[in-house]
Amino acid sequence: MRMTGPLYGGTVLRIGSAVEELAQVYPWLDAAAQTVGAPVDLLPGMHVVLDEVVMNAVMHGGATCIVLTLTVEAGVVVLAVEDDGTPFDPLTATLREKATRLEEASPGGLGLRLMHHYCQDMAYQRTGGMNRLVLRFPVA
Amino acid sequence: MAITIEDIEGGITKVMLSGRLDIAGVAAIDLPLSVVGGSRRAVVMDLSGVEFMASLGLRSIIVSSKAIISKRGKVVLLSPQSVVEELLITSGINELIPIYHNEAEAIAAVAPVAD
């Protein structure tokens, strides 16, 4: 029988916000990418984006539960991230201009730029008290 | 994640970072890097051993670099691997903190100018 609910391991990962649980996202992504047949050259960018989304959810959203799902749909690698943090739609957050001097550089806001760089597209929904972000990565 | 801080000749400090600057890795370098930011004025940050970095790691480097610059110091990045360099370029950090791929040039770039 095929289970459809969240699983521990496989291509679904459900974690809490403790650092040792957050650290599981990296080995999980490597293993899940192999399972679904995602191209290896996508992995560096996917790791950056995943780190970004998870850290945002925990540090800014106060999330205590995060569910990650990796699939390949019609040849596109799709990473879905759900969390129970405060509502945050990264698509409506404005991208700041790049700073031209280090003195003016703000460490925040870089993550959004990186997400836009590595993702083909992003979709956001708030449903049932959860943020749901669907990130699609281009397959060359 | 490992960090070593070495004061070399000419008042220059070489910071070597290695491993993964991820959620757990950043916690290990945050304090040492802020000590460097607060106490050194000519810094080469060797990134050649860094396998992974995301914005949290970038943040740590930017905060430390800003502290160095605010004391009229100089800081450069040395030999990032290609995935890390792509991140530095995408975020525009390469325009704020110069990247070198040659250690002698990196050291010369931060060396205090003799009065």
Side-chain angles (χ1 to χ4, degrees):
Chain A
M1 194 185 92
R2 189 179 162 81
M3 292 178 69
T4 52
L7 303 174
Y8 293 84
T11 56
V12 178
L13 178 71
R14 178 192 284 264
I15 52 167
S17 55
V19 170
E20 56 271 26
E21 288 185 75
L22 299 177
Q24 290 178 23
V25 302
Y26 312 107
W28 169 80
L29 180 59
D30 286 334
Q34 199 172 12
T35 303
V36 302
V40 174
D41 59 357
L42 282 183
L43 278 170
M46 293 181 73
H47 272 280
V48 169
V49 171
L50 179 59
D51 183 277
E52 200 52 53
V53 175
V54 168
M55 292 315 298
N56 270 340
V58 174
M59 294 176 68
H60 303 300
T64 59
C65 175
I66 298 166
V67 182
L68 308 174
T69 310
L70 190 72
T71 52
V72 174
E73 292 168 12
V76 177
V77 179
V78 182
L79 175 65
V81 183
E82 290 170 282
D83 72 79
D84 64 349
T86 53
F88 175 66
D89 179 359
L91 279 69
T92 58
T94 46
L95 272 183
R96 271 180 249 168
E97 289 298 306
K98 286 185 188 178
T100 52
R101 298 171 67 228
L102 187 60
E103 294 88 321
E104 297 161 359
S106 145
L110 291 173
L112 283 175
R113 183 179 298 282
L114 297 173
M115 286 170 64
H116 282 280
H117 174 74
Y118 289 110
C119 292
Q120 184 179 65
D121 65 60
M122 302 189 265
Y124 173 82
Q125 267 188 312
R126 179 81 183 178
T127 47
M130 303 279 283
N131 293 307
R132 180 176 164 82
L133 193 57
V134 177
L135 308 159
R136 296 158 68 86
F137 294 84
V139 179
Chain B
M1 189 70 224
I3 177 168
T4 60
I5 299 165
E6 185 189 356
D7 290 316
I8 57 177
E9 284 173 31
I12 293 164
T13 302
K14 191 174 157 191
V15 177
M16 291 196 69
L17 298 167
S18 60
R20 294 177 56 88
L21 264 179
D22 59 17
I23 291 164
V26 167
I29 63 148
D30 247 352
L31 181 62
L33 268 192
S34 52
V35 170
V36 168
S39 59
R40 308 297 203 281
R41 290 184 58 177
V43 178
V44 174
M45 289 193 195
D46 185 337
L47 301 181
S48 60
V50 176
E51 295 151 24
F52 174 79
M53 187 194 294
S55 70
L56 209 58
L58 266 184
R59 180 190 188 93
S60 205
I61 288 174
I62 292 170
V63 168
S64 172
S65 298
K66 285 177 84 164
I68 295 164
I69 297 294
S70 72
K71 295 175 297 180
R72 296 199 196 172
K74 290 179 183 170
V75 54
V76 300
L77 305 176
L78 176 62
S79 300
Q81 294 179 20
S82 59
V83 290
V84 173
E85 186 157 12
E86 180 181 354
L87 188 92
L88 295 168
I89 291 169
T90 303
S91 58
I93 294 308
N94 61 315
E95 291 165 28
L96 309 179
I97 312 174
I99 299 174
Y100 287 84
H101 285 275
N102 174 299
E103 182 165 350
E105 288 174 15
I107 289 172
V110 299
V113 180
D115 292 324

